[in-house]
Amino acid sequence: MKLPRRNLLHLAAGAAALPAVSRFAWAQAYPTRPVKIIVGQAAGSASDIVARLIALFLSEKFGQQFLVEVRPGAAGNIATEAVTHMPPDGYTLLLVN
């Protein structure tokens, strides 16, 4: 296989630029701000208690605040609708059962 000079130069330039590009593509630490856990059941229910235990564990593990927000009603549809209107950035979680 014969490789033309221009293609060889493009390949060499791409290989030289690869380490510089990967240095800029570092992921940010998650979470950098408080995270909401929305529960679609009534306050004091088993789902609410589980969500609070999960939030406590994750707060200790990540060192960031995890908040539990209770939005009961319509068999969890109100909570689901609230989550769907939030930005898809991973800072709003839904607990369903």
Side-chain angles (χ1 to χ4, degrees):
M1 178 175 128
K2 188 173 180 182
L3 190 63
R5 180 182 168 122
R6 182 176 300 238
N7 289 349
L8 179 65
L9 291 176
H10 282 274
L11 186 63
L18 186 62
V21 172
S22 66
R23 207 173 337 170
F24 296 120
W26 289 77
Q28 294 180 359
Y30 175 82
T32 58
R33 62 179 200 258
V35 178
K36 275 190 203 177
I37 301 174
I38 298 182
V39 179
Q41 302 297 322
S45 66
S47 299
D48 181 41
I49 294 169
V50 168
R52 293 182 191 279
L53 291 172
I54 291 171
L56 179 66
F57 173 76
L58 293 174
S59 293
E60 292 172 355
K61 181 153 179 78
F62 289 113
Q64 189 60 258
Q65 198 172 22
F66 281 74
L67 308 170
V68 176
E69 184 176 326
V70 178
R71 293 203 180 186
N77 288 335
I78 294 174
T80 304
E81 182 182 7
V83 171
T84 59
H85 292 300
M86 299 287 179
D89 56 2
Y91 286 93
T92 305
L93 307 175
L94 176 66
L95 181 79
V96 294
N97 58 352

